Coordinates of all heavy atoms in Angstrom, one line a residue:
F37 N 13.7 -12.3 6.0 CA 13.9 -12.1 7.4 C 14.1 -10.6 7.7 O 14.3 -9.8 6.8 CB 15.2 -12.8 7.9 CG 15.1 -14.3 7.8 CD1 15.2 -15.0 6.5 CD2 14.9 -15.1 8.9 CE1 15.1 -16.3 6.4 CE2 14.8 -16.5 8.8 CZ 14.9 -17.1 7.6
R38 N 13.9 -10.2 9.0 CA 14.1 -8.8 9.3 C 14.7 -8.7 10.7 O 14.5 -9.6 11.6 CB 12.8 -8.1 9.2 CG 11.7 -8.4 10.2 CD 10.5 -7.7 10.0 NE 9.4 -8.0 11.0 CZ 8.2 -7.6 10.9 NH1 7.8 -6.7 9.9 NH2 7.3 -7.9 11.8
Q39 N 15.4 -7.7 10.9 CA 15.9 -7.4 12.2 C 15.7 -5.9 12.6 O 16.2 -5.0 12.0 CB 17.4 -7.7 12.3 CG 18.0 -7.6 13.7 CD 19.4 -8.2 13.8 OE1 20.1 -8.3 12.8 NE2 19.8 -8.5 15.0
A40 N 14.8 -5.8 13.6 CA 14.5 -4.4 14.1 C 15.6 -4.0 15.1 O 16.3 -4.8 15.7 CB 13.1 -4.5 14.8
P41 N 15.7 -2.7 15.3 CA 16.7 -2.2 16.3 C 16.5 -2.8 17.7 O 15.4 -2.9 18.2 CB 16.4 -0.7 16.3 CG 15.8 -0.4 15.0 CD 15.0 -1.6 14.7
G42 N 17.6 -3.4 18.2 CA 17.6 -4.0 19.5 C 16.9 -5.3 19.6 O 16.7 -5.8 20.7
K43 N 16.5 -5.9 18.5 CA 15.8 -7.2 18.5 C 16.6 -8.2 17.7 O 17.4 -7.9 16.9 CB 14.4 -7.0 18.0 CG 13.5 -6.2 18.8 CD 12.1 -6.2 18.3 CE 11.2 -5.4 19.2 NZ 9.8 -5.4 18.8
E44 N 16.3 -9.5 17.9 CA 16.9 -10.5 17.1 C 16.2 -10.6 15.8 O 15.1 -10.2 15.6 CB 16.7 -11.9 17.9 CG 17.5 -12.0 19.2 CD 17.5 -13.4 19.8 OE1 16.7 -14.2 19.2 OE2 18.2 -13.6 20.8
R45 N 17.0 -11.2 14.8 CA 16.4 -11.3 13.5 C 15.3 -12.4 13.5 O 15.4 -13.4 14.2 CB 17.5 -11.8 12.5 CG 17.1 -11.7 11.1 CD 18.3 -11.6 10.2 NE 19.3 -12.6 10.3 CZ 20.5 -12.7 9.7 NH1 20.8 -11.7 8.9 NH2 21.3 -13.6 9.9
E46 N 14.2 -12.1 12.8 CA 13.1 -13.1 12.7 C 12.7 -13.3 11.3 O 12.9 -12.5 10.4 CB 11.9 -12.5 13.5 CG 11.3 -11.2 12.9 CD 10.1 -10.7 13.6 OE1 9.6 -11.4 14.5 OE2 9.6 -9.7 13.2
G47 N 12.2 -14.5 11.1 CA 11.7 -14.9 9.7 C 10.3 -14.3 9.5 O 9.5 -14.2 10.4
V48 N 10.1 -13.8 8.3 CA 8.9 -13.1 8.0 C 8.0 -13.9 7.1 O 6.8 -14.2 7.4 CB 9.2 -11.7 7.4 CG1 7.9 -11.0 7.0 CG2 10.0 -10.8 8.3
L49 N 8.6 -14.3 6.0 CA 7.9 -15.1 5.0 C 8.9 -15.9 4.2 O 10.0 -15.5 4.0 CB 7.2 -14.2 3.9 CG 5.9 -13.4 4.2 CD1 5.7 -12.3 3.3 CD2 4.7 -14.4 4.1
C50 N 8.5 -17.1 3.7 CA 9.3 -17.8 2.8 C 8.4 -18.5 1.8 O 7.2 -18.7 2.0 CB 10.2 -18.8 3.5 SG 9.3 -20.1 4.4
I51 N 9.0 -18.8 0.7 CA 8.3 -19.5 -0.4 C 9.1 -20.7 -0.9 O 10.3 -20.6 -1.1 CB 8.0 -18.5 -1.6 CG1 7.1 -19.2 -2.6 CG2 9.3 -17.9 -2.1 CD1 6.5 -18.2 -3.6
S52 N 8.5 -21.8 -1.0 CA 9.2 -23.1 -1.4 C 9.3 -23.1 -2.9 O 8.8 -22.2 -3.6 CB 8.4 -24.3 -0.9 OG 7.2 -24.4 -1.7
R53 N 10.0 -24.2 -3.4 CA 10.1 -24.4 -4.8 C 8.8 -24.4 -5.5 O 8.6 -24.0 -6.6 CB 10.8 -25.7 -5.1 CG 12.2 -25.8 -4.7 CD 12.8 -27.2 -5.1 NE 12.9 -27.3 -6.5 CZ 12.8 -28.4 -7.2 NH1 12.7 -29.6 -6.5 NH2 13.0 -28.5 -8.5
S54 N 7.8 -25.1 -4.8 CA 6.5 -25.3 -5.4 C 5.6 -24.1 -5.2 O 4.5 -24.1 -5.8 CB 5.8 -26.5 -4.8 OG 5.6 -26.3 -3.4
G55 N 6.1 -23.1 -4.5 CA 5.2 -21.9 -4.3 C 4.5 -21.9 -3.0 O 3.7 -20.9 -2.7
T56 N 4.7 -22.9 -2.2 CA 4.0 -22.9 -0.9 C 4.6 -21.8 0.0 O 5.8 -21.7 0.1 CB 4.1 -24.3 -0.2 OG1 3.6 -25.3 -1.1 CG2 3.4 -24.3 1.1
I57 N 3.8 -21.1 0.7 CA 4.3 -20.0 1.5 C 4.1 -20.3 3.0 O 3.1 -20.8 3.4 CB 3.5 -18.7 1.1 CG1 3.8 -18.3 -0.3 CG2 3.8 -17.6 2.1 CD1 2.9 -17.2 -0.9
T58 N 5.1 -19.9 3.8 CA 5.0 -19.9 5.2 C 5.2 -18.4 5.7 O 6.1 -17.7 5.2 CB 6.1 -20.8 5.8 OG1 6.0 -22.1 5.3 CG2 6.0 -20.8 7.3
D59 N 4.3 -18.0 6.6 CA 4.5 -16.6 7.1 C 4.3 -16.4 8.6 O 3.8 -17.3 9.3 CB 3.5 -15.7 6.3 CG 2.0 -16.2 6.5 OD1 1.8 -17.2 7.1 OD2 1.1 -15.6 5.9
L60 N 4.8 -15.3 9.0 CA 4.8 -14.9 10.4 C 3.4 -14.3 10.7 O 2.8 -13.6 9.9 CB 5.9 -13.8 10.6 CG 6.2 -13.3 12.0 CD1 6.8 -14.4 12.9 CD2 7.1 -12.1 11.9
D61 N 2.9 -14.7 11.9 CA 1.5 -14.2 12.2 C 1.4 -12.7 12.1 O 0.3 -12.2 11.7 CB 1.2 -14.7 13.7 CG 0.8 -16.2 13.7 OD1 0.7 -16.8 12.6 OD2 0.8 -16.7 14.8
S62 N 2.4 -12.0 12.5 CA 2.2 -10.5 12.6 C 2.2 -9.9 11.2 O 1.8 -8.7 11.1 CB 3.4 -9.9 13.4 OG 4.6 -10.2 12.8
V63 N 2.4 -10.6 10.2 CA 2.4 -10.0 8.8 C 1.3 -10.7 8.0 O 1.1 -10.3 6.8 CB 3.7 -10.1 8.1 CG1 4.8 -9.4 8.9 CG2 4.1 -11.5 7.7
K64 N 0.6 -11.6 8.5 CA -0.5 -12.3 7.8 C -1.5 -11.3 7.3 O -1.9 -10.4 8.0 CB -1.2 -13.3 8.6 CG -0.5 -14.6 8.8 CD -1.3 -15.6 9.6 CE -0.5 -16.8 10.0 NZ -0.1 -17.6 8.8
G65 N -1.8 -11.4 6.0 CA -2.8 -10.5 5.4 C -2.2 -9.1 5.0 O -2.9 -8.3 4.4
R66 N -1.0 -8.8 5.4 CA -0.4 -7.6 5.0 C 0.8 -7.8 4.0 O 1.0 -7.0 3.1 CB 0.1 -6.8 6.2 CG -0.9 -6.4 7.2 CD -0.4 -5.5 8.3 NE 0.7 -6.0 9.0 CZ 1.9 -5.4 9.2 NH1 2.1 -4.3 8.5 NH2 2.8 -6.0 9.9
F67 N 1.6 -8.8 4.3 CA 2.8 -9.1 3.4 C 2.5 -10.3 2.5 O 1.9 -11.3 3.0 CB 4.0 -9.3 4.3 CG 4.5 -8.2 5.0 CD1 3.8 -7.0 5.2 CD2 5.8 -8.3 5.6 CE1 4.4 -5.9 5.9 CE2 6.3 -7.2 6.3 CZ 5.6 -6.0 6.5
T68 N 3.0 -10.2 1.3 CA 3.0 -11.4 0.5 C 4.3 -11.6 -0.2 O 5.1 -10.7 -0.3 CB 1.9 -11.3 -0.6 OG1 2.2 -10.1 -1.4 CG2 0.5 -11.1 0.0
I69 N 4.6 -12.8 -0.6 CA 5.8 -13.2 -1.2 C 5.5 -13.9 -2.5 O 4.5 -14.7 -2.6 CB 6.7 -14.1 -0.3 CG1 8.1 -14.3 -0.9 CG2 6.0 -15.4 0.0 CD1 9.0 -15.0 0.1
S70 N 6.3 -13.7 -3.5 CA 6.2 -14.4 -4.8 C 7.5 -14.6 -5.4 O 8.5 -13.9 -5.0 CB 5.3 -13.6 -5.8 OG 5.8 -12.3 -6.0
R71 N 7.6 -15.5 -6.4 CA 8.9 -15.8 -7.0 C 8.7 -15.9 -8.5 O 7.6 -16.3 -9.0 CB 9.5 -17.0 -6.5 CG 8.8 -18.3 -6.7 CD 9.5 -19.5 -6.0 NE 10.8 -19.8 -6.4 CZ 11.7 -20.4 -5.7 NH1 11.4 -20.8 -4.5 NH2 12.9 -20.7 -6.2
D72 N 9.7 -15.4 -9.2 CA 9.7 -15.5 -10.7 C 11.0 -16.3 -11.0 O 12.1 -15.7 -11.0 CB 9.7 -14.1 -11.3 CG 9.6 -14.2 -12.8 OD1 10.1 -15.2 -13.4 OD2 9.2 -13.2 -13.4
N73 N 10.8 -17.6 -11.3 CA 12.0 -18.4 -11.5 C 12.8 -18.0 -12.8 O 14.0 -18.1 -12.9 CB 11.6 -19.9 -11.6 CG 11.3 -20.5 -10.2 OD1 11.6 -19.8 -9.2 ND2 10.6 -21.6 -10.2
A74 N 12.0 -17.6 -13.8 CA 12.7 -17.1 -15.0 C 13.6 -15.9 -14.8 O 14.7 -15.8 -15.4 CB 11.6 -16.8 -16.1
K75 N 13.2 -15.1 -13.9 CA 14.1 -13.9 -13.5 C 14.9 -14.2 -12.3 O 15.6 -13.2 -11.9 CB 13.2 -12.7 -13.3 CG 12.4 -12.3 -14.5 CD 11.6 -11.0 -14.2 CE 10.9 -10.5 -15.5 NZ 10.0 -9.3 -15.2
T76 N 14.9 -15.3 -11.7 CA 15.6 -15.7 -10.5 C 15.4 -14.6 -9.4 O 16.4 -14.1 -8.8 CB 17.1 -16.0 -10.7 OG1 17.7 -14.9 -11.2 CG2 17.2 -17.2 -11.7
T77 N 14.2 -14.2 -9.2 CA 13.9 -13.1 -8.3 C 12.7 -13.4 -7.5 O 11.8 -14.1 -7.9 CB 13.6 -11.8 -9.1 OG1 14.8 -11.5 -9.9 CG2 13.3 -10.6 -8.2
V78 N 12.8 -13.0 -6.2 CA 11.7 -13.1 -5.3 C 11.3 -11.7 -4.8 O 12.1 -10.8 -4.7 CB 12.1 -14.0 -4.1 CG1 11.1 -13.9 -3.0 CG2 12.3 -15.4 -4.5
Y79 N 10.0 -11.6 -4.6 CA 9.4 -10.3 -4.3 C 8.8 -10.3 -2.9 O 8.1 -11.3 -2.6 CB 8.4 -9.8 -5.3 CG 9.0 -9.7 -6.7 CD1 8.9 -10.8 -7.6 CD2 9.7 -8.6 -7.1 CE1 9.4 -10.7 -8.9 CE2 10.3 -8.6 -8.4 CZ 10.1 -9.6 -9.3 OH 10.6 -9.6 -10.5
L80 N 8.9 -9.3 -2.2 CA 8.2 -9.1 -0.9 C 7.3 -7.9 -1.0 O 7.8 -6.8 -1.1 CB 9.2 -9.0 0.3 CG 8.5 -8.7 1.6 CD1 7.7 -9.9 2.1 CD2 9.6 -8.4 2.7
Q81 N 6.0 -8.1 -1.1 CA 5.1 -7.0 -1.2 C 4.6 -6.7 0.2 O 4.0 -7.6 0.9 CB 3.9 -7.4 -2.1 CG 2.8 -6.3 -2.2 CD 3.3 -5.0 -2.8 OE1 3.8 -5.0 -3.9 NE2 3.1 -3.9 -2.2
M82 N 4.8 -5.5 0.7 CA 4.4 -5.1 2.0 C 3.3 -4.1 1.9 O 3.5 -3.1 1.2 CB 5.6 -4.6 2.8 CG 6.8 -5.6 2.9 SD 8.2 -4.9 3.9 CE 8.9 -3.8 2.7
N83 N 2.2 -4.4 2.6 CA 1.1 -3.4 2.6 C 0.8 -3.0 4.0 O 1.1 -3.7 5.0 CB -0.1 -4.1 2.0 CG 0.1 -4.5 0.6 OD1 0.6 -3.8 -0.2 ND2 -0.3 -5.8 0.2
S84 N 0.1 -1.9 4.1 CA -0.3 -1.4 5.5 C 0.8 -1.4 6.5 O 0.7 -1.9 7.6 CB -1.5 -2.2 6.0 OG -2.6 -2.3 5.0
L85 N 1.9 -0.8 6.1 CA 3.1 -0.8 6.9 C 2.8 0.0 8.2 O 2.1 1.0 8.2 CB 4.3 -0.2 6.2 CG 5.0 -1.2 5.3 CD1 6.2 -0.5 4.6 CD2 5.5 -2.4 6.0
K86 N 3.5 -0.5 9.3 CA 3.4 0.1 10.6 C 4.8 0.4 11.1 O 5.8 -0.1 10.6 CB 2.8 -1.0 11.6 CG 1.4 -1.5 11.2 CD 1.0 -2.6 12.1 CE -0.3 -3.3 11.7 NZ -0.7 -4.4 12.6
P87 N 4.9 1.4 12.0 CA 6.2 1.7 12.5 C 7.0 0.5 13.0 O 8.2 0.4 12.9 CB 5.9 2.7 13.6 CG 4.6 3.4 13.2 CD 3.8 2.3 12.5
E88 N 6.3 -0.5 13.6 CA 6.9 -1.7 14.1 C 7.5 -2.6 13.0 O 8.2 -3.6 13.3 CB 6.0 -2.4 15.1 CG 4.7 -2.8 14.5 CD 3.6 -1.8 14.9 OE1 3.9 -0.6 14.9 OE2 2.5 -2.2 15.2
D89 N 7.2 -2.3 11.8 CA 7.8 -3.0 10.7 C 9.2 -2.5 10.3 O 9.8 -3.0 9.4 CB 6.9 -3.0 9.4 CG 5.6 -3.7 9.6 OD1 5.6 -4.8 10.2 OD2 4.5 -3.1 9.2
T90 N 9.6 -1.4 10.9 CA 10.9 -0.8 10.7 C 12.0 -1.9 11.1 O 12.0 -2.4 12.2 CB 11.1 0.4 11.5 OG1 10.2 1.4 11.1 CG2 12.5 0.9 11.4
A91 N 12.8 -2.1 10.1 CA 13.9 -3.1 10.3 C 14.8 -3.2 9.1 O 14.5 -2.6 8.0 CB 13.2 -4.5 10.5
V92 N 15.9 -3.9 9.2 CA 16.7 -4.3 8.1 C 16.1 -5.6 7.6 O 15.9 -6.6 8.3 CB 18.2 -4.5 8.4 CG1 19.0 -4.9 7.2 CG2 18.7 -3.2 9.0
Y93 N 15.8 -5.6 6.3 CA 15.2 -6.8 5.7 C 16.2 -7.5 4.9 O 16.9 -6.9 4.1 CB 14.0 -6.4 4.8 CG 12.8 -6.0 5.6 CD1 12.7 -4.8 6.3 CD2 11.7 -6.9 5.7 CE1 11.6 -4.5 7.1 CE2 10.6 -6.6 6.5 CZ 10.5 -5.4 7.1 OH 9.4 -5.1 7.9
Y94 N 16.3 -8.9 5.1 CA 17.2 -9.7 4.4 C 16.5 -10.8 3.6 O 15.5 -11.3 4.1 CB 18.1 -10.4 5.4 CG 18.9 -9.6 6.3 CD1 18.4 -9.1 7.5 CD2 20.3 -9.2 6.0 CE1 19.2 -8.3 8.3 CE2 21.0 -8.5 6.8 CZ 20.5 -8.0 8.0 OH 21.2 -7.2 8.8
C95 N 17.0 -11.1 2.4 CA 16.5 -12.4 1.8 C 17.6 -13.4 2.0 O 18.8 -13.1 2.1 CB 16.1 -12.1 0.4 SG 17.4 -11.7 -0.8
A96 N 17.2 -14.7 1.9 CA 18.1 -15.8 2.1 C 17.6 -17.0 1.3 O 16.4 -17.1 1.1 CB 18.2 -16.1 3.6
A97 N 18.5 -17.9 1.0 CA 18.2 -19.1 0.2 C 18.5 -20.3 0.9 O 19.5 -20.5 1.6 CB 18.9 -19.0 -1.1
D98 N 17.6 -21.3 0.9 CA 17.7 -22.6 1.5 C 17.5 -23.7 0.4 O 16.4 -23.8 -0.1 CB 16.6 -22.7 2.6 CG 16.5 -24.1 3.2 OD1 17.5 -24.9 3.1 OD2 15.4 -24.4 3.7
R99 N 18.6 -24.4 0.2 CA 18.5 -25.5 -0.8 C 17.5 -26.6 -0.2 O 17.8 -27.3 0.7 CB 19.8 -26.1 -1.1 CG 19.7 -27.2 -2.1 CD 21.1 -27.8 -2.4 NE 21.0 -29.1 -3.2 CZ 21.0 -29.1 -4.5 NH1 21.2 -28.0 -5.2 NH2 20.9 -30.3 -5.2
K100 N 16.3 -26.7 -0.8 CA 15.3 -27.5 -0.2 C 14.4 -28.0 -1.4 O 13.6 -27.3 -1.9 CB 14.4 -26.7 0.7 CG 13.5 -27.6 1.6 CD 12.8 -26.7 2.6 CE 11.9 -27.6 3.6 NZ 12.8 -28.3 4.5
L101 N 14.7 -29.3 -1.8 CA 14.1 -29.8 -3.0 C 12.6 -30.2 -2.7 O 11.8 -30.2 -3.6 CB 14.8 -31.0 -3.5 CG 16.3 -30.7 -4.0 CD1 17.0 -32.0 -4.5 CD2 16.3 -29.7 -5.1
F102 N 12.3 -30.6 -1.4 CA 11.0 -31.1 -1.1 C 10.5 -30.4 0.2 O 11.3 -30.0 1.0 CB 11.0 -32.6 -0.9 CG 11.5 -33.3 -2.1 CD1 12.8 -33.9 -2.1 CD2 10.7 -33.5 -3.3 CE1 13.3 -34.5 -3.2 CE2 11.2 -34.2 -4.4 CZ 12.5 -34.7 -4.3
G103 N 9.2 -30.3 0.3 CA 8.6 -29.9 1.5 C 8.5 -28.4 1.7 O 8.9 -27.6 0.8
R104 N 7.8 -28.0 2.7 CA 7.5 -26.6 3.0 C 8.7 -25.9 3.5 O 9.5 -26.5 4.2 CB 6.4 -26.6 4.1 CG 5.7 -25.3 4.3 CD 4.6 -25.4 5.4 NE 3.8 -24.2 5.4 CZ 2.6 -24.1 4.7 NH1 2.2 -25.2 4.1 NH2 2.0 -23.0 4.8
C105 N 8.8 -24.6 3.2 CA 10.0 -23.9 3.7 C 9.7 -23.5 5.2 O 8.5 -23.5 5.6 CB 10.2 -22.6 2.9 SG 8.8 -21.5 2.8
V106 N 10.7 -23.2 5.9 CA 10.6 -22.8 7.3 C 11.3 -21.5 7.6 O 12.1 -21.1 6.8 CB 11.2 -23.9 8.2 CG1 10.4 -25.2 8.1 CG2 12.7 -24.2 7.9
L107 N 10.9 -20.9 8.7 CA 11.4 -19.6 9.0 C 12.5 -19.7 10.1 O 12.5 -18.9 11.0 CB 10.3 -18.6 9.4 CG 9.3 -18.3 8.3 CD1 8.1 -17.5 8.9 CD2 9.9 -17.6 7.2
Q108 N 13.4 -20.6 9.9 CA 14.5 -20.8 10.8 C 15.8 -20.4 10.2 O 16.1 -21.0 9.1 CB 14.6 -22.3 11.3 CG 13.3 -22.8 11.9 CD 13.0 -22.1 13.2 OE1 13.9 -21.6 13.9 NE2 11.7 -22.0 13.5
E109 N 16.5 -19.5 10.7 CA 17.7 -19.0 10.1 C 18.7 -20.0 9.8 O 19.4 -20.0 8.7 CB 18.4 -18.0 11.1 CG 17.8 -16.6 11.2 CD 18.7 -15.7 11.9 OE1 19.9 -15.6 11.6 OE2 18.2 -15.0 12.9

Side-chain angles (χ1 to χ4, degrees):
F37 293 77
R38 68 184 180 185
Q39 187 166 21
K43 296 187 177 181
E44 293 188 353
R45 189 158 56 186
E46 64 177 356
V48 179
L49 283 160
C50 63
I51 185 165
S52 71
R53 292 183 69 205
S54 63
T56 303
I57 294 169
T58 303
D59 56 0
L60 186 67
D61 284 348
S62 63
V63 304
K64 283 183 188 295
R66 297 192 300 124
F67 291 14
T68 60
I69 187 172
S70 61
R71 65 189 294 158
D72 185 334
N73 287 346
K75 295 183 178 180
T76 64
T77 299
V78 169
Y79 302 96
L80 176 65
Q81 177 67 52
M82 301 185 285
N83 299 316
S84 303
L85 278 181
K86 306 173 182 180
E88 52 263 41
D89 294 316
T90 294
V92 177
Y93 284 76
Y94 301 86
C95 63
D98 171 20
R99 183 180 168 92
K100 192 174 183 74
L101 297 179
F102 304 103
R104 196 180 189 95
C105 60
V106 295
L107 295 174
Q108 302 297 329
E109 283 190 52

